Amino acid sequence: MIGFGDSIKADDLVARGDNRGTRINGADWATRSPVLATNGMVATSQPLATQAALDILKAGGTAVDAAIAANAVLGLVEPTGNGMGGDLFAIVWDPNTKKLHGLNASGHSPKGQTLDDLKAKLKAKGLDAIPGWGVLPVTVPGAVDGWFTLHSRFGKLPMKENLAPAIHYAREGYPVTQLISYYMQRSQPMFEAKFEAGVLEEIDNYRKTYLIDGKAPVEGQIFKNPDLANTLEAIAKGGRDAFYNGPLTDTMVAYFKRLGGALTKDDFASQHADWVQPVSTNYRGYDVWELPPNGQGIAVLQMLNILEGYDLKAMGHNSADYLHVMAEAKKLVYEDRARFYADPNFVDVPVEGLLSKAYAEKRRALIDMKKAAKEVDPGDPILGHGDTIYMTVADKDGMMVSLIQSNFRGMGSGLVADGLGFMFQDRGEQFALDASHPNAYAPGKRPFHTIIPAFMTKDGKPLLSFGLMGGDMQPQGHVQIVANIVDFGMNVQEAGDAARYYHTGSTEPDVLKRMTDGGELQLETGVPQAVADALKARGHNVSYSKGPYGGYQAILRDPETGVYWGASEMRKDGMAAGY
């Protein structure tokens, strides 16, 4: 069985000079061993969120209850990636029905604003694209709707209890962690600059909510958000309607009206999450599951279908051949991603064709093992028939939740409604302005989404709940995790700790710029220089960088013993814990 102790052997011990200690066993480059437990497991990107979810599990809550608790805490302690102003997607393994259930809790654009209206507003601001700040990219937040939709089907504890940890930390305060302090300090000058440039309509609410004495908090400084505590208490008491059809709605709508935004009370009242059927492909005997568009999850499955035609294990992990086929498969798939992925309520997304093994074979034939492609076209899949947090939770009954939630770019739009304590997402930035494009802006439409939860089953049984946050890194990261576990036999922690690649520069879903130069292949320093040189010789534009390489969490369930194996990303502040 993969992932259970048959780890990659460490290199022979040599003088490295990199100031790392030496592990007794397991991969020498792994940060630690997996966390093991039988009654429940939580893996999030922030220790306080992990502990909050664990407390909910111990109190008798389901994995969904615990996931809601953790997500609410993350919105407070990691505001640089998520919050109540963003969207949510989830995959739930239900041990009672022995099935996977997918939830799309993403919000839509203003119903009363046409594409021409939006273009006129952009022109008035001197812009030729939807910005990542201010009122123009804001879509209806779907996260709270997602919480209550998940809870109504799979929750057990009252929402008041699930939200209590977040309310406590918001009111009493918590010490800001290293990475979040870094991102908050980076965000402040950016928001100030956008305000000065007139792209961000107001900044006082951001300053009041997220700054301490006019400055972003530093590591270890106690941060409080009493406004967010009040908002969470209102939701705990008034339920979903408090946010989408009540006093909180009135506050949000009045705020947008004051700033010239288009969201109305009807937009909030009409928000609804959708239960969707996850889609999958079989990769070397393992079924890998993602959610269908408007997200980018099927890009993972398309890449795996192409890569299945290569012996990755024989190539060697992070070898030149391995990284070459990874990058080339990504380029092919991301052209399809830019061309076809959109809201299926508005366009016919050819999912069946895109996931066809025959289609993958045609696309695979375009890869030249000796030369990096500079420019590729989308395929024809009609074969006879279209910044973020990730967390996962598992409970004692076998329910497993793969959940991802985001405000999109950085902390979001920069806008915080009066006295509510959270920032609105800027997801609408990803709409295209070309009316003929599937992802073109339209009233009441969901934009293309980057955030994707994932799951893996084997012979119809749950095996791995996992995800890797980080914009267009996510499909690339998911594929690397699957290959690390299936092809190279890594355990769940090693799979996340292994050095990654990130290819950037592909054509984006807003189709503002086509890839014509092959993009850039960024590597972590764990990839040897000789490999980088070999990739350059094939025509890749290669560089070493600190990222973005995403943030990974995972829970693997041993189908024979039921033991949970938890892992958390060493590139984040997170923690996996069980009991």
Side-chain angles (χ1 to χ4, degrees):
M1 171 58 67
I2 61 166
F4 300 104
D6 296 325
S7 60
I8 291 180
K9 292 182 179 180
D11 294 333
D12 292 336
L13 295 178
V14 295
R16 295 189 308 259
D18 58 9
N19 207 33
R20 280 190 298 154
T22 301
R23 297 197 69 210
I24 296 174
N25 64 348
D28 191 44
W29 38 260
T31 58
R32 55 154 300 132
S33 55
V35 177
L36 306 183
T38 56
N39 292 308
M41 182 68 69
V42 182
T44 83
S45 51
Q46 218 279 357
L48 296 181
T50 296
Q51 293 174 60
L54 206 59
D55 287 342
I56 292 294
L57 290 179
K58 291 180 179 180
T62 66
V64 159
D65 287 318
I68 293 169
N71 191 195
V73 172
L74 285 168
L76 168 72
V77 301
E78 196 168 335
T80 51
N82 76 130
M84 294 167 56
D87 287 342
L88 179 154
F89 292 81
I91 298 176
V92 180
W93 173 266
D94 177 16
N96 293 321
T97 61
K98 293 180 171 56
K99 292 181 179 179
L100 288 172
H101 304 268
L103 184 72
N104 179 334
S106 60
H108 57 79
S109 61
K111 292 183 175 182
Q113 178 177 266
T114 67
L115 176 58
D116 286 341
D117 293 334
L118 176 60
K119 286 182 176 180
K121 291 179 179 179
L122 291 170
K123 184 177 181 180
K125 287 180 173 286
L127 301 171
D128 57 6
I130 303 173
W133 303 272
V135 296
L136 296 182
V138 178
T139 49
V140 177
V144 174
D145 182 29
W147 290 349
F148 281 90
T149 304
L150 286 167
H151 184 264
S152 66
R153 188 166 186 173
F154 295 113
K156 183 184 295 183
L157 299 182
M159 283 294 284
K160 181 179 180 181
E161 191 167 343
N162 293 336
L163 298 178
I167 293 170
H168 167 77
Y169 284 123
R171 200 169 298 287
E172 300 301 323
Y174 70 94
V176 177
T177 52
Q178 186 178 82
L179 190 65
I180 303 310
S181 170
Y182 168 76
Y183 284 133
M184 292 183 80
Q185 290 181 57
R186 283 183 58 185
S187 295
Q188 183 181 0
M190 182 270 294
F191 285 133
E192 297 286 352
K194 297 302 176 182
F195 177 67
E196 290 297 325
V199 180
L200 181 59
E201 290 82 2
E202 75 89 17
I203 199 169
D204 288 342
N205 287 354
Y206 157 76
R207 291 168 175 163
K208 176 179 179 293
T209 303
Y210 294 108
L211 305 185
I212 301 175
D213 297 328
K215 297 181 180 180
V218 299
E219 181 182 1
Q221 191 169 12
I222 300 298
F223 178 82
K224 299 180 181 181
N225 191 340
D227 286 346
L228 183 60
N230 294 336
T231 299
L232 288 167
E233 285 179 339
I235 294 170
K237 182 179 180 180
R240 181 191 176 281
D241 283 350
F243 192 88
Y244 292 100
N245 195 22
L248 298 178
T249 323
D250 293 336
T251 299
M252 291 185 283
V253 170
Y255 177 70
F256 286 119
K257 183 177 181 180
R258 187 171 83 237
L259 300 184
L263 287 176
T264 66
K265 192 161 186 177
D266 179 61
D267 287 317
F268 282 86
S270 61
Q271 168 63 24
H272 64 88
D274 293 327
W275 290 106
V276 297
Q277 179 59 46
V279 291
S280 69
T281 196
N282 187 274
Y283 180 74
R284 308 195 201 283
Y286 295 84
D287 292 312
V288 182
W289 298 84
E290 301 277 350
L291 296 184
N294 54 314
Q296 63 176 342
I298 62 172
V300 178
L301 309 182
Q302 285 191 254
M303 290 173 68
L304 289 173
N305 282 344
I306 293 173
L307 293 168
E308 194 174 33
Y310 299 94
D311 189 344
L312 301 184
K313 184 177 181 180
M315 289 179 176
H317 186 259
N318 280 348
S319 67
D321 281 349
Y322 170 84
L323 291 171
H324 177 76
V325 296
M326 281 277 185
E328 296 303 290
K330 181 265 185 183
K331 293 176 189 177
L332 291 167
V333 170
Y334 272 47
E335 289 301 318
D336 286 347
R337 169 181 173 263
R339 173 64 182 85
F340 298 110
Y341 296 14
D343 186 346
N345 292 320
F346 283 74
V347 295
D348 183 17
V349 184
V351 174
E352 183 177 353
L354 290 167
L355 298 185
S356 162
K357 297 285 189 178
Y359 178 63
E361 186 175 356
K362 288 185 177 181
R363 299 295 276 169
R364 187 187 307 121
L366 300 175
I367 296 177
D368 184 338
M369 287 300 298
K370 297 181 180 180
K371 185 178 180 181
K374 297 299 181 183
E375 185 174 3
V376 294
D377 293 321
D380 181 8
I382 314 299
L383 303 177
H385 293 276
D387 291 326
T388 302
I389 61 93
Y390 173 79
M391 49 167 287
T392 177
V393 181
D395 65 26
K396 60 181 177 61
D397 296 318
M399 182 180 292
M400 300 176 72
V401 179
S402 179
L403 185 149
I404 196 161
Q405 207 254 302
S406 174
N407 282 0
F408 188 44
R409 184 185 298 279
M411 293 183 68
S413 64
L415 298 180
V416 180
D418 302 330
L420 296 191
F422 65 87
M423 187 175 291
F424 290 99
Q425 65 184 353
D426 47 4
R427 184 61 63 175
E429 180 189 356
Q430 294 211 286
F431 278 122
L433 294 176
D434 179 353
S436 66
H437 192 275
N439 187 45
Y441 176 91
K445 184 177 182 178
R446 286 168 163 164
F448 167 83
H449 245 282
T450 56
I451 60 176
I452 51 174
F455 209 93
M456 190 188 298
T457 59
K458 173 72 171 171
D459 301 326
K461 297 180 180 180
L463 181 68
L464 184 72
S465 175
F466 74 104
L468 192 145
M469 65 191 84
D472 66 344
M473 173 65 195
Q474 292 179 65
Q476 304 177 65
H478 285 202
V479 169
Q480 290 177 76
I481 295 300
V482 172
N484 287 349
I485 291 176
V486 174
D487 291 295
F488 298 103
M490 299 185 198
N491 66 42
V492 287
Q493 186 64 47
E494 292 168 349
D497 286 343
R500 295 181 193 144
Y501 82 88
Y502 167 61
H503 181 271
T504 185
S506 290
T507 305
E508 290 294 327
D510 58 13
V511 296
L512 290 177
K513 182 181 178 183
R514 285 290 308 275
M515 183 188 74
T516 58
D517 61 357
E520 182 181 7
L521 183 57
Q522 299 180 14
L523 306 175
E524 289 193 298
T525 54
V527 178
Q529 181 65 54
V531 170
D533 292 340
L535 290 167
K536 289 178 182 178
R538 299 186 196 194
H540 290 279
N541 301 312
V542 182
S543 66
Y544 285 97
S545 77
K546 291 186 177 180
Y549 298 106
Y552 156 86
Q553 270 79 230
I555 298 174
L556 187 147
R557 184 181 187 274
D558 186 327
E560 297 178 3
T561 66
V563 170
Y564 291 124
W565 297 54
S568 185
E569 175 63 75
M570 64 96 167
R571 298 164 188 84
K572 300 289 184 179
D573 293 325
M575 181 178 80
Y579 80 106

